[in-house]
Amino acid sequence: MRHGDKLNNLGRKTAHRHALMSNMAIALITNKRIFTTLAKAKALRTYIEPIITKSKDDTTHSRRVVFADLRSKEAVTELFKNVAVKVADRKGGYTRIIKTGNRLGDAAEMAMIELVDFNEIYSNSKSTGAAEKAKTTRRSRGAKKATAKGDNSAEAKTEE
């Protein structure tokens, strides 16, 4: 009986499930975004959120604890150098799951899981910068057209 068992076994034995979660966590840390099934994404979220929380405290002990879960020096280094710096002021909710539809072969629900602070689309600083850039581009085009017309009229006056 599964009374009170909230762990999604994903149809795998314990060792296989731990290896799967570790590999997916490494991929998420290095790539900042991965596509997988919805069930695996939800299971990964519960696996990686405590690991990211531990990475906010950069001590030898926390590095060893995180390495015990991930087993990848590159991923641990990336986590403590880049990810922990960006999520330092965040209290939780480091990941976002977005449903992407069904897979063609077996109609499994697919999802994208990403680190929240590494998404350029939803961050305010990037979107305002793009709007300002578009405005300055418009102004410069208008200025070029106006000077081009002004130059033509000046040339026409000198010819007369």
Side-chain angles (χ1 to χ4, degrees), residues 20-155:
L20 173 76
M21 289 294 114
S22 176
N23 289 332
M24 289 177 64
I26 291 167
L28 182 62
I29 290 167
T30 55
N31 300 322
K32 312 299 186 264
R33 172 185 303 159
I34 59 173
F35 291 88
T36 182
T37 61
L38 184 62
K40 286 180 190 172
K42 287 180 178 180
L44 178 63
R45 179 174 51 190
T46 62
Y47 183 82
I48 199 158
E49 297 262 346
I51 291 174
I52 296 174
T53 302
K54 287 173 192 148
S55 74
K56 289 160 67 169
D57 180 30
D58 192 5
T59 62
T60 305
H61 176 68
S62 62
R63 280 183 178 264
R64 286 178 177 167
V65 169
V66 169
F67 182 76
D69 289 335
L70 296 180
R71 298 287 185 186
S72 169
K73 288 182 183 179
E74 295 81 17
V76 171
T77 305
E78 175 76 16
L79 180 66
F80 279 88
K81 274 189 177 176
N82 300 332
V83 178
V85 173
K86 279 209 173 186
V87 299
D89 56 340
R90 188 178 287 273
K91 293 187 192 245
Y94 311 112
T95 57
R96 176 186 296 125
I97 296 175
I98 300 171
K99 295 180 184 179
T100 58
N102 294 340
R103 188 162 51 196
L104 275 176
D106 59 354
E109 281 187 294
M110 298 300 288
M112 174 185 69
I113 182 168
E114 64 182 359
L115 296 174
V116 172
D117 293 316
F118 288 89
N119 189 331
E120 299 87 26
I121 297 169
Y122 292 125
S123 70
N124 292 333
S125 61
K126 296 281 183 179
S127 62
T128 56
E132 289 175 12
K133 187 175 182 181
K135 286 181 182 176
T136 56
T137 306
R138 272 196 214 133
R139 279 191 218 123
S140 64
R141 285 184 192 149
K144 287 179 184 176
K145 288 180 183 176
T147 56
K149 287 180 182 177
D151 292 341
N152 291 340
S153 62
E155 289 174 9

